[in-house]
Every structure is written in C-alpha cells, then in structure tokens.
C-alpha cells in the first residue's frame, strides 16, 4: 500500500512528506491508523545526526546510511489490521507507541525492566524485528523508521511489541504525549531519582520531557521544585504545572538553592535540555546535595566523551550520577498509569500542547521548537 509519511532524506535535510510503499503486516505485526504524533526533540537528533546507528550496525543490516528515514516515535492510533499470531491487540484497539519495543520474555523484560528489552538494539535503524525483512520502501530502496515506528505517517506497520493497548475512552492526543516525553520526564524523577515527599528537585530544560519531570516531582510530593530554562516563557509554563521556583540558568539556581534548602542543595537534579553536552555535568553536580542524585535524561551526540567531575566531592558527598532511558519505567505499566492520572485531573497534558500541525507541517513544527515557541507540537491525523 501507499502511505504518506514525513521522511528525512539525509543529514540536516528537512522533514518532507513522501508517498512510501508499505507491505501488509506479517506475523506478529499490526497496522495502525495514526491519530496523533508528538514532536519530541529526539526526532530532531535523528535529523542532525546527534543520534544514529553505528557504521558497523548499518553494515550488518545491509544499508549504508540511517537515511532516508520516516520520523516520529511519540504517537497513538487505532489498530486496523493484524497479521498472523498477533496476541496482545485486536482490530479496533486503541494503542500508544513504545519507542523501546518490549518482548516480555528476555532477561530484562522478565525482571521488570522492559525499558531495557534486548529488542532495543534494533530500534535506531533496520528492517522489521519480526523477520528481518524490510516492510517500508521509498523508490524501491529500503526505508528506515525512527525506533521501529515512524509515527509521522498516516498509517504504520509495526511489531506488536512496539505498542501498548490503552483505554479506548481516553484522549488519543494525551496518549501520544505520554507515549514518550511525559513518561520519560516523569520516570526520570519518580522511577530513576526516586524522589520522596519533602525533597528538593531541580529540572533543567522545561520542554516536553521537562514538563513530565516537573509534574513527577509535584506528584511525588517534592517541597521545592526549581524549573531552569533559558526561555522565560518555558519557566512560566513550568510554574503553572508545579514548579515552585524558576531560574534562567543552573548558575542562577545554584545561588537560590542554599536559602531554599537550609544550605543542603537539591536531592535530585534532572537534566532535560534539548541537547546534552559534557560541560553541563559539573554545574549540575554543584546543585546536588550530599547523597544527591543527578539524572541525565537528555540525549548527547555520541561525540560527547568528556565530563568534568570532582571525584573527591562525588565520593565524599555520596552522590550518584544516573543515566535513564524512558525514565527507567516499563511502557506497559507507565503509559496506562499516567493516562489514569491524566483522567483524574492530576497530570496536565493538554496544557503542554502549544499547537497542532498537519503531517505536511512537521518541519514547521520543528522550526517552531527551535525558535523556542513550542512546549510540544502535535501532528493531528484524520481518524
Ligand atoms: N532518555 C530518554 O529515553 C529520552 C526520551 C525522550 C527524549 N529524550 C531527550 O530529552 C531531551 C529533551 O527533550 P524535549 O523533547 O523535552 O526537548 P525540548 O526541545 O522540547 O526541550 C528542551 C528545553 O531545554 C531548554 N534548554 C536548552 N538548553 C538549556 C540549558 N543549557 N539550560 C536550561 N535549559 C535549556 C530549551 O529552551 C527547551 O525548553 C532531548 O535531548 C531528547 O532527545 C530522552
Ligand atoms: Zn521521545
Ligand atoms: Zn524483552
């Protein structure tokens, strides 16, 4: 079948809608009519080359480049067709996407850590998980899809491991935003930093992911939540969803924290800027208290190898520096859980959507993100 999809043809090339060829779902695969796709910063990392499969991986899967690639990994939609042996979803089910597929049976899934599923190694590029065949083509050539998904398309054919069934009565737009950014931010605070009532949390970068982190801190019962962003409008938005204080930089936050915390500093610091660089680690560590946890959620270009860390202070203050993927929580648990918090009016999702775009406007959405005017842009499809 022919599907309209936003494709990036090469490094720094804009997202452009193309007619791509997609084969019907094979065993363990489903077809999904997209309803909404969120515009996470990670797709921008794909376009700029910050994020990509290693050359040896590309060689193994038989392509010379990450490009062309269908973008998009935040999303929600309705299942319209199922291939043979599909077990978890049926035609008509509402689903949210999971950018790390979860097989359910590998060591990591079986031990409750679906976010580390061994299928994750297939996500950056390559053919279908199910049988190693390419189901997507552009002009006869194999076509990659962002994280085995490609939500910037009217329809998707994906492995059932890449979707999470959701309540059909819940907003599909909220589900799209929760499918990556909000879950990742929320989990960074709640599941990774394990913030407890009364603690102090600093969130650096108040976009889609940071907005999930701030609300995770509020719902976990943090007493002080400092929102740090270069843009005043994002700091103000962060205050509307739970931040108790705002700052324009980590240096400014460092000056505020002693008075706010009786000199103890922050129990948890979560780094969610658009791009992570090594030079952000040292100032983040200075914001952290004794026994403080610093969580790096944002993605850094793979060229970032150097970090300055005062190893004496790190050990003597008993601090932790933690990475996280998907906020260290399992999509099949976290996405339905956060949707219930949304339905109960505890988690704000609608207030984070700055603008809805059509599929043809994906690049406009990323231009707006770069211009600093979007908390989250969302692609709306005709369902
Ligand atoms: N670890 C994961 O599993 C995971 C999942 C999703 C997204 N991410 C990553 O998280 C990061 C955030 O994503 P997003 O979609 O929220 O991005 P975004 O662009 O919507 O938001 C980033 C915010 O950071 C601010 N910012 C940039 N530099 C800053 C600095 N030095 N200090 C303070 N604020 C700064 C920007 O003004 C912006 O408001 C990205 O790197 C994304 O790829 C990681
Ligand atoms: Zn994302
Ligand atoms: Zn697994």
């Amino acid at each position: 079948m022919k599907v309209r999809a936003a494709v990036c043809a090469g490094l720094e090339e804009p997202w452009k809608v193309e007619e791509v060829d997609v084969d019907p779902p094979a065993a363990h695969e489903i077809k999904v009519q997209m309803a909404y796709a969120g515009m996470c910063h990670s797709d921008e990392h794909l376009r700029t080359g910050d994020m990509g499969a290693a050359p040896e991986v590309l060689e193994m899967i038989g392509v010379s480049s990450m490009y062309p690639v269908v973008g998009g990994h935040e999303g929600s939609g309705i299942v319209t067709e199922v291939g043979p042996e599909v077990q978890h979803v049926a035609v008509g089910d509402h689903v949210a996407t999971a950018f790390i597929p979860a097989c359910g049976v590998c060591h990591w899934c079986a031990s409750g850590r679906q976010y580390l599923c061994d299928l994750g190694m297939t996500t950056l590029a390559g053919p279908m998980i199910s049988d190693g065949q390419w189901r997507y083509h552009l002009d006869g050539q194999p076509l990659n899809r962002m994280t085995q998904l490609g939500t910037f398309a009217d329809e998707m054919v994906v492995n059932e491991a890449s979707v999470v069934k959701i309540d059909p009565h819940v907003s599909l737009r909220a589900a799209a935003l929760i499918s990556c950014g909000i879950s990742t931010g929320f989990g960074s605070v709640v599941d990774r930093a394990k913030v407890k009532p009364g603690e102090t949390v600093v969130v650096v970068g108040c976009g889609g992911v940071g907005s999930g982190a701030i609300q995770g801190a509020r719902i976990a019962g943090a007493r002080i939540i400092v929102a740090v962003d270069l843009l005043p409008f994002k700091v103000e938005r962060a205050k509307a969803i739970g931040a108790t204080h705002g700052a324009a930089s980590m240096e400014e936050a460092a000056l505020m924290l002693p008075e706010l915390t009786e000199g103890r500093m922050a129990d948890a610091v979560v780094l969610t800027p658009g791009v992570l660089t090594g030079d952000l680690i040292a100032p983040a560590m200075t914001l952290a208290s004794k026994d403080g946890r610093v969580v790096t959620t944002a993605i850094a270009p793979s060229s970032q190898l150097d970090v300055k860390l005062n190893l004496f202070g790190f050990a003597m203050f008993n601090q932790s520096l933690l990475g996280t993927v998907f906020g260290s929580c399992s999509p099949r648990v976290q996405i339905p859980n956060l949707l219930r918090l949304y339905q109960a009016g505890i988690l704000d999702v609608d207030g984070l959507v700055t603008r809805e775009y059509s599929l043809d406007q994906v690049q406009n959405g990323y231009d707006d993100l770069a211009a600093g005017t979007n908390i989250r842009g969302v692609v709306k499809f005709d369902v």
Side-chain angles (χ1 to χ4, degrees), residues 23 42 77 171 185 194 205 245 275 286 315 318 334 343-344 349 374 381:
D23 296 335
S42 299
S171 150
K194 300 197 187 309
H245 299 79
V275 183
T286 66
N318 203 58
Q334 191 77 331
Q343 282 175 299
V349 180
N374 272 3
F381 297 90

Side-chain angles (χ1 to χ4, degrees), residues 19 21 36 65 72 106 121 180 185 195 346 348-349 355 367-368:
E19 281 225 318
D21 293 299
Y36 290 94
S65 157
C106 74
M121 71 174 291
C180 171
V195 166
I346 297 168
D348 184 6
V349 180
R355 207 186 133 184
D367 291 343
D368 290 345

Side-chain angles (χ1 to χ4, degrees), residues 170-335:
V170 73
S171 150
L172 281 162
R173 192 176 78 165
L177 265 74
I178 286 173
S179 72
C180 171
I182 295 183
S183 288
T184 299
F186 190 99
S188 299
V189 170
V190 174
D191 299 273
R192 193 54 162 151
K194 300 197 187 309
V195 166
K196 293 188 283 295
E199 287 197 326
T200 295
V201 179
V202 180
V203 176
V204 181
C206 304
V209 177
S211 299
I214 285 157
Q215 297 196 75
R218 168 172 57 77
I219 293 167
R223 183 174 66 91
I224 293 169
I225 305 168
V226 182
V228 180
D229 203 293
L230 310 171
L231 303 169
F233 132 75
K234 303 237 183 171
V235 173
E236 284 317 305
R237 202 50 244 151
K239 285 186 182 165
I241 55 171
T244 57
H245 299 79
S249 65
M250 284 196 267
E251 291 69 25
E252 196 180 311
L255 295 175
M256 294 164 58
L257 280 171
E259 199 181 322
L260 293 171
T261 63
E262 296 89 39
R264 290 203 299 274
M265 306 300 274
D267 301 285
V269 180
V270 178
L271 291 172
T272 54
V275 183
L276 188 64
T277 47
D279 60 317
L280 297 178
I281 301 301
M285 296 307 297
T286 66
L287 297 177
S289 65
K290 288 186 269 188
D291 216 14
R293 294 88 74 196
V294 175
V295 179
T296 66
T297 307
I299 288 176
S302 51
S303 58
Q304 292 292 306
L305 300 173
D306 297 325
V307 166
K308 277 212 173 94
L309 186 62
N310 180 329
L311 290 171
F312 179 79
F314 187 57
M316 292 300 105
F317 290 167
N318 203 58
Q319 291 174 320
S320 309
L321 179 59
L322 303 157
T324 185
V325 58
F326 195 69
S328 311
C329 45
S330 295
R332 291 212 170 88
V333 176
Q334 191 77 331
I335 293 172

Side-chain angles (χ1 to χ4, degrees), residues 158-170:
V158 296
N159 194 288
E160 63 171 324
S162 295
V163 297
V164 176
K165 186 174 161 174
I166 56 168
D167 179 345
H169 304 296
V170 73

